[in-house]
Amino acid sequence: MSCVRAVRGLAPICGFQSLAVLSRCVSFSPRQVASDASFHSVSFSESDHPRVLITRGLGQLGVGLAKLLRKQFGKYNVILSDIRKPPAHVYQSGPFIFSDYKNLCEIVVNNHISWLIHYSALLSAVGEANVSLACDVNITGLHNVLDVATEHGLRLFIPSTIGAFGPMSPRNPTPDLCIQCPRAIYGVSKVHPELMGEYYHHRYGLDFRCLRYPGIISADSQPSGGTTDYAVQIFHDAVEAGNFVCNLRPDTRLPMMFVDDCLRATLEVLEAPAEVLSMRTYNISTMSFTPEDLEQEIRRHLPDLQVTYETDPVRQAIGESRTHQSSAIQDIKHSKTALNKYVGGF
């Protein structure tokens, strides 16, 4: 399965998407960084590897992206940041900085950061349950990140989401530039950084980059409040309990992506030379399937799996709005590579 037509040549493509908020800044805890990292004594030049900071690094994508970037740029050139204590294997895998909203500028300056990957966000279902907090995390917190990135000349990556579209968006295929008008606060709060990043790029020269992620399927993390989380939770429940309660209707078709493809796409758009980018935000395309499709595929591996459907009105409404923004609906056979790969992760 290939998902990353997006950034090979960077022509517009069709297709498709944590709780640390850096509303003002993050603080630095030197004892949590390996003693041989030498952040304060190493100079940075354009010919060296980038120094990367990932906010909300303990979310679904941060740890995996850090592993990929460390393989590419070196262990001590990539720093994870979050407000939670990391598991032992994450703590031992490379630099980690505890963040408590206070000093993003200090971290950027002291550690010679050149790339900032901002994963801090409340996802769709959680955001609908607490709109005020979603605005604080996803919108207010963004402004400080934009200012710091602009002041210090950083390359800034902030993911957007398929939720940034809406019922009036064209579909099949959905272009990179089109009517959006999302009806959930998560989508609204993701259109905001798309537009602000575009503005800061043209007004101040900020190197802003963005991909609209679909639902991400990963075996290495727990769901964190998104509408597409059923496609992760079903695997955990199938393996651990043999049954699963789905909060979407069985025919709700949504765009998804296997985590390895998402991380590869992110690295490719980060590494792309600025001059080949024709815009700042791109869709990425992979597969679309329904809960019923996924249930049938998992039953090939776990035939005794029992699935019941208890529709949650809020999540279902979000899901239905997203069916309007799916890229060209692909045959479920194109999904099976990812599904089989994912089942093998357990």
Side-chain angles (χ1 to χ4, degrees), residues 9-20:
L10 280 284
I13 55 99
C14 305
F16 308 84
Q17 148 220 131
S18 311
L19 167 103

Side-chain angles (χ1 to χ4, degrees), residues 77-156:
N77 285 323
V78 181
I79 306 173
L80 284 174
S81 172
D82 211 312
I83 60 172
R84 295 182 288 130
K85 181 180 179 181
H89 74 277
V90 173
Y91 182 84
Q92 294 163 6
S93 66
F96 177 85
I97 292 178
F98 174 78
S99 57
D100 66 356
Y101 315 109
K102 290 182 180 178
N103 223 348
L104 180 59
C105 292
E106 181 181 346
I107 291 175
V108 166
V109 171
N110 288 347
N111 296 290
H112 298 259
I113 298 301
S114 53
W115 290 7
L116 175 57
I117 299 166
H118 184 58
Y119 273 149
S120 297
L122 286 188
L123 300 184
S124 55
V126 175
E128 288 303 299
N130 195 332
V131 173
S132 177
L133 182 60
C135 290
D136 286 342
V137 174
N138 298 6
I139 297 177
T140 305
L142 165 78
H143 295 166
N144 182 61
V145 171
L146 288 168
D147 289 341
V148 170
T150 301
E151 180 180 356
H152 296 284
L154 307 184
R155 179 169 297 182
L156 176 62

Side-chain angles (χ1 to χ4, degrees), residues 211-224:
L211 292 174
R212 295 188 183 107
Y213 288 166
I216 305 301
I217 302 177
S218 169
D220 298 325
S221 62
Q222 293 291 332
S224 53

